[in-house]
Amino acid sequence: MAKIVLGVGASHSTLMNTHWEETTHKAEAERFRDALHATRDRIAAAAPDVVLILGSNHFRGFWLDLIPAFTLGVGECNSSGESGTPQGPQKVDVDLARHLANELIEGGRFDLAYSARLQIDHGQSHAIQYLLDGLDVPIVPLVVNVFAPPLPTFERCAELAGALRAAIADYPADTQVVVVASGGLSHRLPWPDWRDPHGEDEDFMVQAWLDGRENWSDYDVRRRQIIRAAEAAITPEFDDHILDLFTAGKASELAGYSTSEIEEQAGNGAQELRTWLMMAAMMDYIPAERLAYEAIPEWLTGMGVAVLDPSYSYSP
């Protein structure tokens, strides 16, 4: 049967690619990048047959014409390639992906959307770029809606993770699985609640999310300008608390947070922590090893990396 051999949580930021030279917190940036490289080596050492990537939507493959809470890629997968991230077709373990869909839906474990032609963005491809660099391993992509409210609750995300864990265990092939959660930690993007935009920039964003499916590049220059003009809103105290929960084997406490609590304490970008919670749940909440945390205002984000390794002996 299939076995989950490693879990990884890692922040992402396309500003790593587009504004590295302009980053003034260079030492912090290099430490975070080094942690990604070290994590890539840990993934390689785990010798996975497939990597399940839990990532967020950034209005590149999902638009306001259709926003599922959870979407599993079960066929073709294309990456949008924005801001220097990988572009084009990505190799998917279709057999495992379709097994998961069948077990969850037909098995009555969980109802989620699936796509035989999924487009992902840097919510997934940033992890492919840095954590799977040089590794010839297929993926199974799962996109979680974290930016177009109403959002799935943290508790519901944990429930899906439990269903995925059981479905993986039922897979008949001798398959080693690594689970990667991409996103977080604290940050605030200048993105509105699409249901109640205020001002010209927010109106523009919502219009782009409505109309951008076929021509998102037409909106990208101004969209990028709005993001680059935003001031960083990082809360290291919150990030430390979350990472402490992970290292103590208490990540399940994340399931008790509400969407509004996360927004107030750590910004809308911290809603991506849903993927970290799901990864930890799939690892049965074993203690994590904290590889890095850096608050990098030029990237607007508290950048963290944690690894959950069942074979590793952690000191209390």
Side-chain angles (χ1 to χ4, degrees), residues 55-60 62 67 121 123 143-148 191:
S56 49
N57 59 311
H58 297 87
F59 300 101
R60 285 287 193 272
F62 292 88
I67 299 284
D121 59 36
V143 180
V144 182
N145 172 35
V146 304
F147 286 122
W191 289 7

Side-chain angles (χ1 to χ4, degrees), residues 12 53-56 58 82 121-127 182-183 272:
H12 60 238
I53 303 183
L54 313 173
S56 49
H58 297 87
E82 77 277 15
D121 59 36
H122 72 269
Q124 311 261 345
S125 62
H126 194 277
S182 182
E272 292 176 324

Side-chain angles (χ1 to χ4, degrees), residues 225-267:
Q225 290 171 343
I226 293 171
I227 293 173
R228 289 295 298 147
E231 294 186 5
I234 303 171
T235 52
E237 299 83 3
F238 172 89
D239 294 340
D240 279 333
H241 173 65
I242 295 299
L243 291 171
D244 285 346
L245 289 179
F246 274 79
T247 57
K250 298 179 179 180
S252 61
E253 293 186 19
L254 253 180
Y257 278 86
S258 69
T259 296
S260 60
E261 287 171 334
I262 291 291
E263 172 84 22
E264 292 166 6
Q265 295 183 36

Side-chain angles (χ1 to χ4, degrees), residues 156-177:
R156 189 63 171 154
C157 290
E159 292 172 358
L160 172 55
L164 285 166
R165 180 182 175 88
I168 288 172
D170 287 344
Y171 189 55
D174 184 16
T175 300
Q176 299 211 119
V177 181

Side-chain angles (χ1 to χ4, degrees), residues 12-18 36-37 40 53 79 81-87 90 120-122 124-135 139 182:
H12 60 238
S13 173
T14 58
L15 297 169
M16 282 185 67
N17 294 345
T18 60
L36 292 182
H37 292 165
R40 179 263 177 213
I53 303 183
S79 180
E82 77 277 15
S83 304
T85 53
Q87 184 175 19
Q90 306 298 316
I120 58 174
D121 59 36
H122 72 269
Q124 311 261 345
S125 62
H126 194 277
I128 294 171
Q129 180 178 12
Y130 288 98
L131 299 178
L132 304 185
D133 182 31
L135 305 183
I139 65 170
S182 182

Side-chain angles (χ1 to χ4, degrees), residues 78-148:
N78 286 281
S79 180
S80 56
E82 77 277 15
S83 304
T85 53
Q87 184 175 19
Q90 306 298 316
K91 184 164 65 174
V92 174
D93 186 331
V94 173
D95 287 341
L96 176 59
R98 295 185 180 178
H99 165 83
L100 295 179
N102 290 340
E103 288 295 306
L104 265 61
I105 299 170
E106 293 185 351
R109 289 170 167 165
F110 206 96
D111 296 321
L112 80 170
Y114 61 87
S115 173
R117 184 171 291 160
L118 181 66
Q119 180 169 309
I120 58 174
D121 59 36
H122 72 269
Q124 311 261 345
S125 62
H126 194 277
I128 294 171
Q129 180 178 12
Y130 288 98
L131 299 178
L132 304 185
D133 182 31
L135 305 183
D136 185 19
V137 57
I139 65 170
V140 172
L142 177 65
V143 180
V144 182
N145 172 35
V146 304
F147 286 122

